[in-house]
Amino acid sequence: MKKILTVVAATILACSAVSAQSFKLVNTFGGDSVSTGGSDLFVFENQKDENGNYKNEFSNTTRASNRLQLDASSKMFDARLRMEIGTTKLNGKDSTVRFRGYGRFKPVDQFNLIAGNDLFTKVPVNAGYLVASDDYPKYARILQNGFGAVSNWAFGDEKNVTMNLSAGVKGDDGSFLDPDKLGLDFGFNFGIKDIMTAGGSFQNVTGNKFTASAFAGLSAVKNLTLNAGYIYNATDTDFIPSVSKNVVSVTAGYNFKDMGLLIGADAACGLTNEYLDEGVTKNYQNDGKDVIPFQTKVLVTYNVNDSLSVGVKAKVTAMLGNADSVKTEIYPNVTYDLPNKFGSLTSGVRISTDKNGISKFAIPFSWKCTLADIKK
């Protein structure tokens, strides 16, 4: 399935290249494990003794990675092709190569066809955006992989009321015949300019991993992001610390543009533990009381000047009802824009802790550089 979709995306990319009005080629060496396709360069994990206590002896793993991304666009086409290479051994062994891409055909403004093995955030539920994560979780994406169509509409004298509808099909393990592996996705967005936005995503409608989500956001206050959502049967553990059948999420952020300061926070919390399997429930029971998954993230960034920005990211995950389950992560970081358009460098220190102390720390590093940016 992935190979087929990569070929389709590459074909559309080639078609787009013929009449493209713009090309952009970006290379990123290294990365950040909280960003798409990234990994921390150095990771030091605290070793445990036979009783499960930390020995303050840290073993090191070096993860070298590189991402090369090409974007091409024109009036009727736009496409992306990304190659990701990762390895934990600098001699070339234990390395992985992954291709991700999509192509979109836009015959008219009101109708788009899109195909690929990863559509990234091109077709999200707008109100599902998480400020501190700076991303759209999987359950807030209308289309993710496969083939799909999007219909866009605008109403009113000033076109201030917008709506888009989408539908798509995705397969898993190369099968479009097994209903347990075939996913039909549907979704919509509705917005009133400078007032509000709402939307929903329905994934794997015919399969056994059905997920539904609904979101609403306020857009009446300039520079303020305020979104809330309800997710049913989600399994995206990147944003929810444990599988839970019913989850609520909220995100808030404000961009003090004159000060160069951005503050944001996300939170997601299960409403019940009814979807936790027996093994997981046993691990987190506390005196016979049920537990509920919870996660929160906080982001603060400050632009010191045109070339330097500093920030801190923090994350707390827990099973409410069990104090021993609390895990924290703090990541102070700095980004410096190199002169002469040589890109930007980002690094910092990520420290993870649990009830026993520091479980690991990591040193992320990335160098992001635009190799070509051509506009006709």
Side-chain angles (χ1 to χ4, degrees):
M1 172 67 178
K2 292 183 178 179
K3 292 181 179 179
I4 294 174
L5 294 175
T6 301
V7 170
V8 171
T11 300
I12 299 180
L13 178 63
C15 294
S16 179
V18 173
S19 58
Q21 296 174 324
S22 68
F23 294 93
K24 189 171 185 178
L25 184 64
V26 178
N27 190 78
T28 304
F29 173 79
D32 178 339
S33 66
V34 301
S35 67
T36 301
S39 61
D40 293 337
L41 182 60
F42 301 110
V43 178
F44 301 86
E45 295 194 41
N46 202 344
Q47 303 301 294
K48 293 183 178 180
D49 59 25
E50 57 185 12
N51 297 319
N53 299 315
Y54 291 128
K55 300 187 296 183
N56 290 326
E57 297 178 4
F58 293 85
S59 64
N60 167 244
T61 301
T62 301
R63 295 184 173 93
S65 62
N66 193 78
R67 182 177 70 194
L68 183 65
Q69 179 172 304
L70 172 65
D71 288 275
S73 64
S74 64
K75 183 177 180 180
M76 296 183 64
F77 292 95
D78 73 283
R80 170 177 293 171
L81 185 61
R82 175 186 290 180
M83 180 179 68
E84 298 173 354
I85 302 174
T87 181
T88 55
K89 292 185 178 180
L90 299 183
N91 59 10
K93 296 181 179 180
D94 294 341
S95 62
T96 59
V97 179
R98 182 184 182 189
F99 289 93
R100 309 167 73 185
Y102 73 88
R104 178 167 51 179
F105 176 53
K106 304 175 288 185
V108 293
D109 292 338
Q110 289 77 23
F111 185 73
N112 299 169
L113 291 172
I114 190 168
N117 69 345
D118 197 326
L119 308 182
F120 303 94
T121 57
K122 283 295 181 181
V123 194
V125 179
N126 295 332
Y129 178 73
L130 300 175
V131 179
S133 303
D134 190 23
D135 200 0
Y136 294 88
K138 293 178 182 177
Y139 50 77
R141 298 178 188 178
I142 296 175
L143 299 174
Q144 299 180 64
N145 302 287
F147 306 88
V150 182
S151 179
N152 304 301
W153 302 94
F155 308 95
D157 295 337
E158 299 181 358
K159 306 295 182 181
N160 60 335
V161 178
T162 59
M163 175 180 288
N164 65 46
L165 306 172
S166 71
V169 56
K170 66 174 181 283
D172 191 13
D173 297 330
S175 174
F176 284 95
L177 301 177
D178 188 341
D180 290 336
K181 296 180 179 179
L182 176 65
L184 293 179
D185 295 348
F186 301 91
F188 73 95
N189 272 306
F190 174 81
I192 302 176
K193 186 178 180 180
D194 297 332
I195 296 180
M196 58 82 67
T197 181
S201 175
F202 307 90
Q203 301 173 11
N204 303 309
V205 174
T206 59
N208 60 1
K209 296 180 181 179
F210 172 67
T211 296
S213 59
F215 299 90
L218 177 69
S219 55
V221 180
K222 188 177 181 180
N223 300 327
L224 174 70
T225 301
L226 185 61
N227 298 327
Y230 165 77
I231 305 99
Y232 169 76
N233 206 20
T235 57
D236 186 352
T237 53
D238 291 339
F239 295 89
I240 299 174
S242 188
V243 180
S244 184
K245 194 169 185 178
N246 297 278
V247 174
V248 292
S249 71
V250 63
T251 185
Y254 194 86
N255 191 349
F256 299 87
K257 290 187 175 181
D258 294 339
M259 299 171 57
L261 179 66
L262 171 64
I263 300 175
D266 311 329
C269 184
L271 300 179
T272 67
N273 75 333
E274 59 186 324
Y275 204 63
L276 296 174
D277 61 41
E278 184 178 357
V280 175
T281 302
K282 284 182 178 179
N283 290 336
Y284 291 110
Q285 280 183 336
N286 184 29
D287 297 329
K289 297 180 181 179
D290 290 340
V291 292
I292 294 176
F294 172 81
Q295 176 172 286
T296 185
K297 294 182 179 181
V298 177
L299 166 71
V300 178
T301 62
Y302 175 65
N303 297 326
V304 179
N305 52 47
D306 292 340
S307 300
L308 181 66
S309 64
V310 296
V312 61
K313 298 178 182 179
K315 178 173 71 173
V316 177
T317 62
M319 302 299 292
L320 300 181
N322 185 325
D324 291 340
S325 67
V326 178
K327 296 181 179 180
T328 64
E329 179 182 287
I330 186 168
Y331 174 36
N333 57 87
V334 59
T335 298
Y336 178 68
D337 293 333
L338 297 171
N340 300 320
K341 299 182 179 180
F342 284 142
S344 60
L345 302 177
T346 300
S347 188
V349 178
R350 187 194 316 279
I351 303 173
S352 302
T353 66
D354 58 23
K355 66 175 183 177
N356 295 317
I358 297 177
S359 58
K360 69 178 180 180
F361 69 93
I363 302 176
F365 172 80
S366 69
W367 174 25
K368 183 176 182 180
C369 184
T370 300
L371 303 178
D373 190 357
I374 303 172
K375 296 181 180 180
K376 298 180 180 179

